[in-house]
Amino acid sequence: MRAREATEADAGLLLEWRNDPRTRQASRSSGVVALDEHSAWLRGVLESPERVLYVVELDGSPVGTVRFDREDEGVWEISITVAPESRGRGLSGAVLAEGERAFTAGHRVRMVLAAVHQDNAASAALFDRAGYTETSPAVDGFRKLRKTVL
């Protein structure tokens, strides 16, 4: 498994994954995203020093994404998506670990935060296995988790 930084060439694939019904159900924004809106969002992510987006590949094929958004000095929020066609293969832990590995190799990180939809038991279990702990009860339907990296 290997994480590489996303590029504009990934726009179509990332939009397809973003608009998948299960992905939307677990997202803060659950509506379908149009191509022009997604393209503008992706350009903004790629140009921002406050955000890093990886495409994680297995044997050269994309299987997921991991995004980091800067919250504060050394504090980043993580977001993970496993490609719809890669779900059920037991890859989520490896996708998360590879994204964390790639990110911490190139960035100063002391804490990683995650917001997990309260109905997303699989995602909650994933972050629990990865060493994240709950910081507060659910707010607006999302549980807040954190992992100290130091």
Side-chain angles (χ1 to χ4, degrees), residues 2 6 11 15 19 22 29 43 57 66 79 82 86 99 102-103 106 111 115 118 126 133 135 144-145 147:
R2 176 182 85 84
L15 177 61
N19 281 335
R22 283 185 49 201
S29 174
R43 278 192 301 279
E57 298 176 334
V66 181
S79 176
V82 174
S86 296
F103 186 71
M111 185 181 302
Q118 63 189 9
L126 166 69
T133 58
T135 62
K144 302 291 184 178
L145 311 171
K147 181 177 186 179

Side-chain angles (χ1 to χ4, degrees), residues 8 11-12 15 33-46:
E8 283 196 45
L15 177 61
V33 176
L35 178 59
D36 58 339
E37 179 184 356
H38 179 73
S39 296
W41 172 85
L42 181 59
R43 278 192 301 279
V45 168
L46 298 177

Side-chain angles (χ1 to χ4, degrees), residues 22-93:
R22 283 185 49 201
T23 301
R24 290 190 350 252
Q25 183 180 6
S27 298
R28 285 184 175 131
S29 174
S30 60
V32 173
V33 176
L35 178 59
D36 58 339
E37 179 184 356
H38 179 73
S39 296
W41 172 85
L42 181 59
R43 278 192 301 279
V45 168
L46 298 177
E47 293 170 0
S48 175
E50 307 291 309
R51 303 177 103 179
V52 179
L53 177 63
Y54 295 102
V55 173
V56 180
E57 298 176 334
L58 176 63
D59 298 327
S61 295
V63 294
T65 64
V66 181
R67 189 183 76 237
F68 293 87
D69 298 308
R70 186 176 183 271
E71 293 286 316
D72 200 354
E73 187 63 35
V75 179
W76 298 79
E77 182 175 272
I78 190 170
S79 176
I80 178 175
T81 301
V82 174
E85 62 275 10
S86 296
R87 293 180 189 141
R89 296 173 50 197
L91 298 176
S92 62

